[in-house]
Structures are given as C-alpha cells and as structure tokens.
Amino acid sequence: MSSDILGDIKSPRYVHAVSEEIRKLKIEKRISIMHVCGTHEHTISKSGLRSLLPENVRLIAGPGCPVCVCSSAEIDLAIRLATEHGVILTTFGDMYRVPATGGSMEYFKAMGADIRVVYSPMDAVALARGNPTREVVFMAVGFETTAAPISAAVLSGPPENFSLVTSLKVIPPALRFLLDRGATEIDGFILPGHVSAIIGRKVYDFLAEEYKVPGAIAGFEAVDVLLAVKNIVEQVVSNTQPVVSNLYTRVVKENGNEKAIASIGRVFRTGDANWRGIGIIPDTGLYLAEEFEHLDARKKFGVAPEKAVEIQPGCLCDKVILGEAEPEDCALFATTCTPSKPYGPCMVSSEGTCRARYNYRRVD
C-alpha cells in the first residue's frame, strides 16, 4: 500500500479484488453472516456489496440501530415529561422523528412542547446551566459508543435542574440472545466498529469459545466489510476452531478504551432492557447507578413507562431488526413508509435498515 492508507482503502479495485477472493473460496453451503451495526448496513447498501458476493453468502442486518430498538414506551415517557411536566426535552437528532404511540417528538414539538435537538450530552448540560429556572431532561439513547460521553456528562457535575431518561443498551448480551433464540441462521458476526472502539475485541471471545461462531470486527469502508466477510467465510469453510478477529486495528484495541469503560462502569449499572419489537433481553440495559440516581428523570418526576404500541399494524420492523425479514418484504416499504413520513422506526435514522435500503434501492 502507498502512504495514503485511507485512499487505498477507498479504492474500488481493492473492493473487487477482495470480492474475487471470496468467490474463489470453496463454499458448499449457504453461509449467513449477521452484522449488528447500522453504519455497516449503510456501507453495504450504498456500495452494493451484496451483489458482489456469491449467491450462497448472505448478509443479514441485525439489531444494530440504537434508535430503532429504543422502546416506544420510553419515547412516550420522555414526551410526557415535555407535555405534562413542562421540561425542556433534549435528544439526539435521529431520535426526533422516531414514531412512538401517539406520535414522534417532532409532532409534539409542533404541538407546542419544548423539545430540542442537541449534538452531545454536554450541550444538554450547558442548556440546563443557561436555564436555571427550567428543568432540562436529556433522553440518553444508544449503545456503548454513546454511553461513554453520556457517562462523562454525568461525571462533569451537571446542575440540579438536569436529569436523564436512559435508553442505553449494550451489545454482547444481545448477541447471546440472538444465538440462544436459534430462530435466525447465524454462521458468523460482523462486529460493530464504533462499539468495539469502546469495549475492545476480547469481550467477544465467548462467541467462538462457547457458541463456536466466528466473528470479525470491521471498519466502515466497503473493503473493511468485505474483508470481514472473507475472514468469516474462510473460518466456516475450513471447519476449524473459530476465532474473533480484529480487522479494525487502526481504531479498536484488545481491551478497548479503558478510561471510557471505567467511566461507564462507575455511572451505570446493568439490567434487563426492552428492545423495541423484540421484548426484554436480560442484562442489556444501562441504568444510572445508585450514586447518580438523583439524575434519573423517572424518579425525579415520579413517572414510569405505560403500555405502548411498539410496532404499528403492518410494520415489519421487528422482523427486520431480528434478521427474519428484509425491508423489501414489507408491503409498506417505499410506499406508505418513506423517510419523509416514516411509519416504522427502521425508516428514520441513517442507521436504520429500511432507511439504508430506501436510500440506495434500485429504481427501474
């Protein structure tokens, strides 16, 4: 490679070279590989990677979009704080238009609720400092990637008028859940680069050691994803003891970001979490530890999640998230459900599987 490493990674000739190497492998059965990262689906769809693979190698989109798996009941709760308790509700931009039981945050903003998009949790803290007579609530959504800066915001000493609604989830126990279900054929995992930058490679060893399933941590260029596919396919066809490979060493370390891990571990405790359309997955939620429970908006305002509509009638988001259906299988896809008027959560964020497929679909 030349000194322009990123330039080489982005080169189409490398993409096609790796694709040809995969096609030359002796693949005698169907191999299903699941990724659990919305950005990977974006890369796969944008680059048309599925068309470059042999017919018996299938890439499945799993539950890798954080706003897609955010429970409707938690969104409803946050909206109630804005509409019934008069708080300034803040959240990340990709949460703003996610449909919940009675409508999205965008809808209730139009109805007069004070709901604002922020770019980081520290923006929400700053908003609370600048509005000492108002209560400011930050809806904390995401996986380990966003849990790290959110924990830093909590440790920054926010003012008394600041609190959080947490809807944070962790990935490794969710992989156990997917394998234990046995409902979706999974021969290997392409593991998320952003999450792995925080938690490292080693935490995934249970996949190979306990479940005999290979994995590969991948970056976000097309060739990154194809190299991960090649790595997993080679392991499957060789029928040797599987391993979890780190193919994103330019970012991901063996033990991750130890400072970020320590920060998350201090601020949060783990517990069961409700994944939208999936239900309760044990030990996948992050909740404020006892030391920081005074920042829990649920306790502060005495509210709790109520019965909610998680998946609207006719929507297949729950099956898409689990890899049991493709977006194109849904009768609403690209008709009733579009990015300008999303019917289901998977059509909102750029990390949503339906949104990625819509953006890069073939239109004859």
Side-chain angles (χ1 to χ4, degrees):
M1 282 192 176
S2 70
S3 59
D4 183 10
I5 295 175
L6 286 180
D8 284 328
I9 288 174
K10 292 176 180 291
S11 172
R13 67 189 181 93
Y14 280 98
V15 173
H16 288 286
V18 178
S19 171
E20 285 303 309
E21 290 177 9
I22 295 171
R23 289 183 175 278
K24 289 176 182 177
L25 295 172
K26 190 176 181 181
I27 306 171
E28 297 178 345
K29 66 165 191 172
R30 187 174 77 164
I31 298 176
S32 298
I33 301 172
M34 176 178 279
H35 67 76
V36 284
C37 175
T39 309
H40 280 152
E41 180 57 40
H42 183 275
T43 297
I44 291 165
S45 298
K46 180 179 180 180
S47 304
L49 296 188
R50 289 183 175 89
S51 67
L52 299 179
L53 297 175
E55 289 185 0
N56 53 354
V57 175
R58 179 187 176 210
L59 295 183
I60 307 169
C65 166
V67 303
C68 301
V69 299
C70 178
S71 168
S72 182
E74 292 172 334
I75 302 172
D76 293 344
L77 184 149
I79 290 172
R80 277 167 43 213
L81 291 176
T83 57
E84 298 176 12
H85 295 266
V87 309
I88 300 174
L89 177 62
T90 61
T91 190
F92 294 131
D94 53 1
M95 276 299 306
Y96 191 57
R97 300 179 63 244
V98 176
T101 304
S104 66
M105 293 184 188
E106 180 185 47
Y107 170 80
F108 284 97
K109 167 79 170 180
M111 293 296 103
D114 195 347
I115 302 175
R116 310 184 192 186
V117 171
V118 294
Y119 293 97
S120 81
M122 290 306 297
D123 289 344
V125 172
L127 187 64
R129 293 189 194 282
N131 294 269
T133 62
R134 299 283 307 278
E135 289 288 338
V136 175
V137 175
F138 175 65
M139 186 166 188
V141 177
F143 297 131
E144 292 93 336
T145 314
T146 50
I150 290 167
S151 67
V154 170
L155 293 172
S156 71
E160 292 183 358
N161 62 325
F162 175 81
S163 57
L164 303 96
V165 172
T166 54
S167 183
L168 295 166
K169 297 175 174 63
V170 294
I171 287 293
L175 303 181
R176 284 187 181 275
F177 168 82
L178 291 166
L179 292 170
D180 288 340
R181 286 181 80 239
T184 304
E185 180 185 355
I186 303 173
D187 296 301
F189 283 104
I190 299 176
L191 297 165
H194 293 139
V195 166
S196 301
I198 301 297
I199 65 176
R201 186 212 65 83
K202 191 174 179 60
V203 295
Y204 300 113
D205 275 340
F206 72 92
L207 295 172
E209 294 171 358
E210 299 178 33
Y211 292 92
K212 310 304 178 186
V213 171
I217 300 171
F220 301 100
E221 300 299 335
V223 73
D224 284 324
V225 176
L226 283 182
L227 286 170
V229 172
K230 177 174 178 286
N231 177 283
I232 293 168
V233 171
E234 285 176 337
Q235 292 194 60
V236 172
V237 299
S238 68
N239 201 30
T240 56
Q241 172 62 37
V243 298
V244 175
S245 305
N246 180 11
L247 305 183
Y248 197 28
T249 54
R250 62 189 188 270
V251 172
V252 176
K253 308 302 180 187
E254 180 74 358
N255 295 309
N257 185 322
E258 295 180 0
K259 288 185 178 180
I261 293 170
S263 178
I264 293 171
R266 179 182 170 188
V267 170
F268 299 108
R269 59 176 176 83
T270 58
D272 300 346
N274 184 10
W275 293 56
R276 186 167 187 166
I278 298 175
I280 301 297
I281 303 181
D283 300 320
T284 55
L286 291 178
Y287 302 92
L288 288 167
E290 184 177 356
E291 179 184 355
F292 303 102
E293 283 186 344
H294 62 284
L295 297 176
D296 187 338
R298 292 176 176 89
K299 295 181 181 294
K300 188 172 188 177
F301 295 96
V303 294
E306 298 177 349
K307 187 176 180 180
V309 177
E310 296 291 340
I311 300 296
Q312 296 286 348
C315 179
L316 293 187
C317 270
D318 54 333
K319 297 186 182 301
V320 170
I321 288 169
L322 287 168
E324 297 176 1
E326 301 292 344
E328 295 82 1
D329 296 332
C330 181
L332 306 178
F333 177 74
T335 55
T336 301
C337 186
T338 65
S340 62
K341 194 174 182 180
Y343 185 76
C346 299
M347 186 59 85
V348 180
S349 169
S350 61
E351 295 190 3
T353 301
C354 294
R355 175 67 177 270
R357 298 287 183 88
Y358 180 94
N359 284 350
Y360 301 109
R361 72 196 188 285
R362 177 173 176 171
V363 181
D364 294 321

